[in-house]
Amino acid sequence: AQSVTQLDSQVPVFEEAPVELRCNYSSSVSVYLFWYVQYPNQGLQLLLKYLSGSTLVESINGFEAEFKKSETSFHLTKPSAHMSDAAEYFCAVSEHTGGFKTIFGAGTRLFVKA
Amino acid sequence: DTEVTQTPKHLVMGMTNKKSLKCEQHMGHRAMYWYKQKAKKPPELMFVYSYEKLSINESVPSRFSPECPNSSLLNLHLHALQPEDSALYLCASSQGSGAFSTDTQYFGPGTRLTVL
């Protein structure tokens, strides 16, 4: 069975400081990996995803994540945080074997301080 | 149009009431999902419909009854709920063709349900 661990429930950073949100997964088969963001009182929005190819994937708003198979990790980073980045971030996995089921991690709340 | 809409935004109901949540998308997606999200927790999958047929039921109690009348609509009928069912109920949709597990899911804003 697959599982997702987000190592930090909360991450506080100062504005313009670098951000790292950590995600590790466990699965007996190959997986696809996703990061979703949830702003207050809203649904989730896809930030980026890794399906195949280059292990470094980027979003349009400056976030990137690197798939490291040997470490079973998919950490999300951004070189400089903005106040508008404050939100809940969920790492998620689905298995290559197909099917509709996506497993979400517990989430990491990113706080950005001025 | 990449929007999933959900109505109502908020719902308060008693344990003997019958109510329904509604979800709509016009992206031509063939897979639709219901999730339950408790405060400070990740979404938990409840049901998945693929091509208007129920594909996944994650052992959800029968007091929750999903319905997919057509490819754009998804309902969740509620009856005899318990206070612990209070949560944010999220609807999502995805392309639903080919390799489903690569699909991006598009989420609605959710219905915040309170059961008294």
Side-chain angles (χ1 to χ4, degrees), chain A residues 4-79:
Chain A
V4 182
T5 302
Q6 291 184 244
L7 296 157
D8 306 296
S9 59
Q10 299 181 55
V11 171
V13 298
F14 285 102
E15 197 172 15
E16 298 184 10
V19 176
E20 184 183 48
L21 307 182
R22 296 181 292 169
C23 172
N24 287 88
Y25 69 91
S26 172
S27 177
S28 56
V29 300
S30 297
V31 296
Y32 301 114
L33 295 154
F34 306 78
W35 276 100
Y36 284 86
V37 59
Q38 185 176 32
Y39 297 99
N41 301 313
Q42 294 187 28
L44 282 70
Q45 305 169 35
L46 181 73
L47 198 56
L48 46 78
K49 64 182 178 182
Y50 170 75
L51 303 181
S52 64
S54 172
T55 56
L56 185 65
V57 289
E58 298 176 5
S59 73
I60 56 172
N61 57 353
F63 282 96
E64 61 181 35
E66 187 172 9
F67 170 53
K68 292 186 177 180
K69 189 174 180 180
S70 60
E71 298 176 13
T72 61
S73 71
F74 192 55
H75 300 333
L76 183 69
T77 60
K78 187 174 183 179

Side-chain angles (χ1 to χ4, degrees), chain A residues 1-2 4 31-32 34 36 92-104, chain B residues 31 33 35 43-48 55-59 94 99-103 105:
Chain A
Q2 54 190 338
V4 182
V31 296
Y32 301 114
F34 306 78
Y36 284 86
V93 301
S94 62
E95 292 185 336
H96 278 211
T97 48
F100 293 97
K101 195 162 181 181
T102 299
I103 302 296
F104 289 86
Chain B
Y33 311 71
Y35 286 89
E44 296 174 24
L45 184 65
M46 300 174 72
F47 303 103
V48 181
S55 293
I56 295 179
N57 177 342
E58 289 289 292
S59 303
S94 71
F100 310 117
S101 50
T102 63
D103 276 1
Q105 292 184 36

Side-chain angles (χ1 to χ4, degrees), chain B residues 80-98:
Chain B
L81 294 193
Q82 304 296 310
E84 59 264 29
D85 296 321
S86 298
L88 181 68
Y89 287 84
L90 293 166
C91 173
S93 70
S94 71
Q95 195 78 24
S97 57

